[in-house]
Amino acid sequence: MNQFNITLFIILSFIGIVLCQQSPQTYNVVFSTTKGDVEIFVNRSYSPYGSDRFYALIQDGFYTDNAFFRVIQTPLFVAQFGISPDSSLNDKWNVTIPNDPVVISNTAGTITFAAEEENNQACCRTTQLFINYADNSFLDSAGFSPFGKVISGFNNTLNFYGGYGEEPDQSLIYSEGNSYLQENFPLLSYLNSVKIISEKW
């Protein structure tokens, strides 16, 4: 094996370790948003693959300056986010994780990975998340597996701007980043940063 191949192997091995690392059994994080702080409790037993991916994404700074680009408030449904303004991060984390069984229901305040639907079942989870605004337990049967719960600041999430509904084009967020959103949807709320404040292994 030549030097180039050795270097490439080391780099790919490191990336694989980062993408597949295991999270603590429980941990708490604080979302610093433009509408105030939101604290979330994550329990790995709820959704192991989801918990592991969320933990890794936080450590990589993925959710810094994320827009809440899909906020459905009439009727109350979800606040969705999880497209980085940094296209290199989106490319890096465009790796799906396996499905988790649904252990807790999609009730108000739970947080869940968004996913595509294939044969009426959720699949292909990568980075996008949503906070349930209401009892959305009808999502359980489709395999949407919550991995955590909002334990403080839920009212702040209800203040996320929802006037644009589903207008923002996700493909343009991926290709143009926040400049597209700021130019066309200036009132959107943002997740400024995420901080892990406690963890138990």
Side-chain angles (χ1 to χ4, degrees):
M1 185 179 290
N2 62 36
Q3 186 63 41
F4 173 78
N5 288 335
I6 292 173
T7 302
L8 181 61
F9 175 78
I10 293 172
I11 291 172
L12 292 176
S13 297
F14 174 75
I15 291 173
I17 291 170
V18 170
L19 295 180
C20 300
Q21 66 179 308
Q22 183 170 309
S23 73
Q25 288 303 307
T26 63
Y27 56 102
N28 289 55
V29 304
V30 170
F31 284 4
S32 175
T33 82
T34 51
K35 297 298 183 180
D37 287 351
V38 179
E39 184 176 348
I40 293 173
F41 169 76
V42 179
N43 189 324
R44 191 172 185 273
S45 68
Y46 295 161
S47 185
Y49 290 114
S51 172
D52 292 351
R53 173 57 64 88
F54 183 56
Y55 187 77
L57 288 165
I58 293 170
Q59 291 190 313
D60 205 25
F62 184 90
Y63 292 112
T64 300
D65 296 329
N66 269 220
F68 293 98
F69 60 82
R70 180 176 179 247
V71 178
I72 310 299
Q73 296 172 329
T74 308
L76 284 175
F77 184 37
V78 298
Q80 187 167 330
F81 62 104
I83 302 177
S84 174
D86 182 340
S87 60
S88 66
L89 282 177
N90 290 319
D91 291 341
K92 174 181 177 180
W93 290 99
N94 187 27
V95 179
T96 60
I97 57 174
N99 293 337
D100 283 305
V102 177
V103 174
I104 63 170
S105 186
N106 282 273
T107 52
T110 52
I111 184 168
T112 306
F113 270 88
E116 299 175 17
E117 286 196 55
E118 187 174 275
N119 299 322
N120 296 317
Q121 288 293 305
C123 75
C124 314
R125 299 179 297 170
T126 55
T127 63
Q128 291 194 39
L129 309 172
F130 59 84
I131 296 170
N132 284 297
Y133 275 154
D135 183 354
N136 295 325
S137 54
F138 68 91
L139 295 172
D140 299 351
S141 61
F144 288 90
S145 175
F147 61 88
K149 304 175 181 179
V150 175
I151 60 171
S152 176
F154 183 67
N155 285 341
N156 292 335
T157 72
L158 295 175
N159 289 326
F160 295 159
Y161 186 77
Y164 301 124
E166 303 198 52
E167 290 182 42
D169 186 323
Q170 293 187 32
S171 64
L172 291 177
I173 305 174
Y174 278 113
S175 63
E176 300 180 24
N178 285 352
S179 60
Y180 158 72
L181 293 173
Q182 290 160 357
E183 180 177 350
N184 296 281
F185 308 99
L187 298 179
L188 284 177
S189 303
Y190 283 81
L191 172 53
N192 298 322
S193 63
V194 182
K195 182 179 181 181
I196 298 169
I197 59 171
S198 67
E199 52 187 41
K200 183 176 180 180
W201 291 88

